[in-house]
Amino acid sequence: RDDDARGDARDDDARGGGGDAGGGDAAAGGNDNTSSNKARALNDDDFDFDFDDDDLNDDGNSLWFHLLRHRAAVPQMLVVGIVMKTASACFAVHQPFMSNQFFFEHLARHAYENENSTTTPPSYTTCRTNPSIMSPTIQDVCIQAPSAASRWQSYSFATQQLSGILWSVLVGRISDRIGRKLPIVVALLGELVPLIPAYLYVANGSSLWWYWGMVLVSGLLIPQQALSMCTRSAIADVMPPKHRTWLMGIYESSLPIGLLVGAPIGSVLSPERALLFAVTCMATCSIWMLLIIKETLTLTRQAPLFVPDAARSASRDVKMVVLSSHSHPATTPPNKATSSAPEPSDDEQDEEQEQEQE
């Protein structure tokens, strides 16, 4: 393209090099074409990204060839995503009742302490089965407990979305620099750690405040979008373009698949067994992701962690493209002095173009 642009420039200059007004107009038209050709050539060269051959086409390789690359990292990540969503759905079946029961016990205990009563608070199931046998105070607690559980649930949702606003861009940049595995493992641990206090509450009767504290901390520090973001990036790292979209669609369907499978499993299990199943599945996925699944981002494709140098380089390239369109002599019709000036030789033009590109 550079040779064609230089050849067009020399032809246009030769055709437009006259001393009369008509020759000046021809030179002006030739200069316009020359500057646009040079701008296009510089634009193509400066913004030509270095893709691998299998990014542009699969070179005749089958789909199984690409799926099995990097020790079948993409299929394993898809399985991890489905198992994680299944475990989350299995826990989500019991989470509302577990939260309501905890806040009912907590508020009822405070109500009896204020009344100086030594009566043991009833079970939360009594609020639904036979509320008429309870005192008016406990009946009010039955109403307040779901409200408190919903309020804390809204806090957890708010912190998760806030972390997505604060950290998603940074997590994406870190993933481009260090790889996909570590952010995915951190995201998996962010879903696993809060379930451990929840299981201890159901199994041993410990306080559920540890669960809500871990939910808020992990939701604020670990963006919920990191898992899906890095998994889709891993698919793009390994698969050619024609297979990326439908594989990303399979990953996005992991949530409905998890609900379809995990909700029935959770409904037939007791809260303790459902939480044990969820914790076991999430811990297995985290260990599998950390130790077995191979990194998909190669060293040659890792990006710099901070953007100022890259931004300055891109800005400099854009300025070169813009300036290249104005680097040729003026397009106005030349006067006698300019028309009588000797034209630069071909070697001088080549040197000028090389200096402009540098």
Side-chain angles (χ1 to χ4, degrees), residues 119-182:
T119 305
T120 303
S123 174
Y124 176 68
T125 56
T126 310
C127 295
R128 299 184 300 172
T129 58
N130 195 5
S132 60
I133 65 174
M134 295 185 300
S135 64
T137 302
I138 300 302
Q139 290 180 3
D140 293 338
V141 171
C142 290
I143 299 175
Q144 296 173 7
S147 176
S150 300
R151 183 169 61 252
W152 279 90
Q153 189 67 43
S154 65
Y155 294 160
S156 67
F157 286 153
T159 54
Q160 290 173 359
Q161 302 309 315
L162 179 62
S163 66
I165 297 174
L166 296 177
W167 310 118
S168 290
V169 176
L170 181 60
V171 169
R173 193 65 186 173
I174 293 175
S175 173
D176 290 337
R177 181 64 183 91
I178 66 175
R180 318 301 183 193
K181 280 187 61 173
L182 184 58

Side-chain angles (χ1 to χ4, degrees), residues 288-331:
W288 189 272
M289 185 70 206
L290 180 63
L291 301 179
I292 304 299
I293 299 179
K294 188 178 179 181
E295 176 60 56
T296 60
L297 185 66
T298 58
L299 294 176
T300 57
R301 302 181 66 178
Q302 290 182 356
L305 181 59
F306 299 102
V307 297
D309 293 336
R312 284 196 294 268
S313 177
S315 176
R316 183 171 60 252
D317 292 340
V318 173
K319 289 179 181 179
M320 290 175 62
V321 173
V322 175
L323 293 176
S324 65
S325 62
H326 301 283
S327 60
H328 208 74
T331 58

Side-chain angles (χ1 to χ4, degrees), residues 9-10 13 344-354:
R10 288 193 294 268
D13 291 339
S345 62
D346 295 341
D347 296 336
E348 293 176 351
Q349 291 180 359
D350 295 340
E351 292 179 358
E352 290 178 359
Q353 291 180 358
E354 291 177 357

Side-chain angles (χ1 to χ4, degrees), residues 226-301:
L227 179 59
S228 60
M229 182 195 322
C230 295
T231 303
R232 288 195 297 265
S233 300
I235 294 174
D237 291 338
V238 177
M239 303 303 297
K242 70 176 184 179
H243 295 305
R244 292 173 185 171
T245 305
W246 69 270
L247 285 172
M248 292 180 185
I250 292 178
Y251 173 76
E252 293 300 329
S253 65
S254 61
L255 178 58
I257 293 175
L259 293 174
L260 184 64
V261 177
I265 294 176
S267 64
V268 299
L269 297 177
S270 63
E272 181 178 353
R273 292 184 177 180
L275 279 168
L276 181 60
F277 172 78
V279 170
T280 303
C281 289
M282 291 186 177
T284 303
C285 290
S286 301
I287 297 174
W288 189 272
M289 185 70 206
L290 180 63
L291 301 179
I292 304 299
I293 299 179
K294 188 178 179 181
E295 176 60 56
T296 60
L297 185 66
T298 58
L299 294 176
T300 57
R301 302 181 66 178

